[in-house]
Amino acid sequence: MSLEKYINPNFTLFQKLLFLIMTIVGITLCVLLIYVGTKLTYVPNESGKKRKLSSAEKKFLFFKNFHLNIQLFIEMMISATSVMMFACSYIIVNHVYSIVTGHSGKYYGFDEFIKTWESSKDFILLLLICLSCVANTIIDKFVIPLKLPSKEQKASIRMLGMFYVIIILLFINYTKGEAKVYGPVMMYYLSLMVGRFVYFDASFMDFLHALKSAIYHSPLLILGLLTSGSLSLLGFNLGYFLERNYYILGSFYTHLFILVVLFVLHNSKLLYLFVRKPKEDPEPYYDEYDEYDEYDEYDK
């Protein structure tokens, strides 16, 4: 596989538009499923038991939880795409290294590159992982600004996004036989996942809290995997992505299309026309909902 084949030259503009439409359909289904899932949830009172909510409370809670769940889903996809982007970077550079070392004398002038990669590729991978965190922050601060999730929720979702990528790598690893390519990347991300759960100053309760948070948001993980997996499968079957390339690249292209759709969906605020904020806020009945100011910006 030559370097220029990483991008399919036969993936025409018309085909890209078709795939974008498919992505819009996929994200629309995600929104509808999140809508239904939010409808089925409830908020307990202080004793932890269900109680009948007033009509105003139900409307406000649905508005709040729906848009929060949407932004958590967006955060997970941003995190997964950022992680995947730098995983792909590592794989591509490693492929360049294999080409250079496999054609002795043909690629004159790559001695320094070969020496650096052989001695420091583990540190380079670690640097790429750090850059993925920076890219994640830049995207959800400036490109797709997400204001509803708390810092704790974002941290939990980013961890889930890392787990999301590990699942994709494991699937490709065991179904496509590319273990040598993905092995180092998986080990690094798996180590970070374990470190996120269990670190040297963490208590057992901290571990349980992190685990509970990850399990609570697991439906978003499943939803994201089903959406991206279905779109990637369509892309490969239709010939938009090249099977002779590393499969992770096709999955990465799929996530780029997903981010484009989410960018338009979020910044256009179309969902606030679909699920509007109630005209009157209910009286606070639960400490978590004492502050409603964060939603005032969407009244404009």
Side-chain angles (χ1 to χ4, degrees), residues 6 88-99 113 117 121 180-181 184 246:
Y6 280 113
C88 287
S89 300
Y90 175 86
I91 291 168
I92 291 173
V93 174
N94 196 50
H95 178 250
V96 173
Y97 167 78
S98 66
I99 291 178
F113 166 75
W117 187 251
K121 66 178 181 179
K180 292 183 179 179
V181 178
Y246 294 124

Side-chain angles (χ1 to χ4, degrees), residues 16 29 78 84 122-123 156 233 235 249 256 261 297:
K16 290 175 182 176
L29 291 175
I78 292 174
M84 199 174 295
D122 290 336
F123 294 102
S156 175
L233 184 62
L249 294 177
L256 289 181
V261 174
E297 61 176 304

Side-chain angles (χ1 to χ4, degrees), residues 31-95:
V31 171
L32 291 176
L33 288 173
I34 292 174
Y35 180 93
V36 173
T38 306
K39 276 285 189 182
L40 298 176
T41 59
Y42 76 96
V43 176
N45 59 14
E46 293 182 1
S47 64
K49 299 179 181 179
K50 297 180 182 179
R51 71 171 178 83
K52 188 174 181 179
L53 305 178
S54 68
S55 177
E57 288 172 343
K58 287 181 179 179
K59 289 180 180 179
F60 181 79
L61 283 176
F62 176 71
F63 165 81
K64 178 185 185 299
N65 291 337
F66 172 76
H67 290 290
L68 176 61
N69 288 334
I70 289 292
Q71 292 201 12
L72 289 175
F73 177 77
I74 294 174
E75 176 67 32
M76 186 189 69
M77 299 310 293
I78 292 174
S79 176
T81 306
S82 300
V83 171
M84 199 174 295
M85 175 171 58
F86 288 96
C88 287
S89 300
Y90 175 86
I91 291 168
I92 291 173
V93 174
N94 196 50
H95 178 250

